[in-house]
Amino acid sequence: MNNFRYRMQRFMAGRNGADRLFYILTIAYVALMFLNVFLHSMILYFVGIGVFAAAAFRYFSRNTAKRRRENAKAEQAYYSAAAKVNKMKTRREQSRTYFFKRCPNCGKTLRLPRVKGKHGTKCPACGCKFSVRIIKGAKK
């Protein structure tokens, strides 16, 4: 058993191995194959095989610098998407007591108290004054 482990360590030395992009590609492959169980599409099958081949290529690649750059881009996209999801979740939670309105001048999103009626407000970023009409008051 130790002989096999030693051979595997020697084989994987200097190779990329598993990183976040490898796991993302593997999950995408499993999802595509699961979806293909119901759709029976040859196109979906070959796309899934391509995703699996890309994951395997990345795993066994010796060009670790290039794989590291690809992984960094994937992680940046992953964290950017996670930040957007968290922002939407926070906004949905705060929508009971606050009203969100974009400034017509600079486009910055303002968080205003949810008080029914027409109100005048001033953007703290650019100083633009505009009116806001809130139809529904705070939810209880």
Side-chain angles (χ1 to χ4, degrees):
M1 188 63 167
N2 285 336
N3 192 21
F4 177 73
R5 184 180 299 155
Y6 175 71
R7 286 184 180 177
M8 285 304 294
Q9 285 176 347
R10 287 201 49 188
F11 176 73
M12 289 303 293
R15 297 187 190 271
N16 188 51
D19 55 7
R20 183 178 296 270
L21 185 54
F22 170 78
Y23 291 123
I24 290 171
L25 290 173
T26 303
I27 290 169
Y29 167 72
V30 170
L32 286 171
M33 290 299 113
F34 181 75
L35 188 62
N36 198 28
V37 168
F38 301 106
L39 298 179
H40 303 290
S41 169
M42 288 300 285
I43 295 171
L44 200 58
Y45 174 76
F46 285 117
V47 169
I49 295 298
V51 169
F52 179 76
F57 173 77
R58 287 187 45 74
Y59 188 83
F60 294 114
S61 174
R62 288 189 183 259
N63 191 351
T64 56
K66 190 171 184 179
R67 303 292 91 80
R68 198 174 295 127
R69 285 192 302 271
E70 292 170 352
N71 190 50
K73 287 180 183 178
E75 284 192 356
Q76 183 181 11
Y78 173 80
Y79 288 122
S80 175
K84 287 180 182 180
V85 168
N86 286 336
K87 182 179 178 182
M88 288 174 25
K89 181 181 173 186
T90 303
R91 187 170 287 187
R92 188 181 69 240
E93 290 170 354
Q94 293 180 355
S95 68
R96 293 180 158 257
T97 55
Y98 294 101
F99 181 76
F100 296 92
K101 177 72 176 172
R102 284 195 174 268
C103 173
N105 190 32
C106 66
K108 182 176 170 74
T109 302
L110 305 175
R111 186 180 76 166
L112 307 167
R114 188 177 282 279
V115 179
K116 188 176 180 180
K118 189 170 184 177
H119 309 282
T121 188
K122 180 180 175 184
C123 177
C126 66
C128 175
K129 294 181 181 180
F130 59 96
S131 64
V132 176
R133 184 172 174 227
I134 301 174
I135 298 171
K136 295 181 181 178
K139 301 170 186 170
K140 295 181 183 180

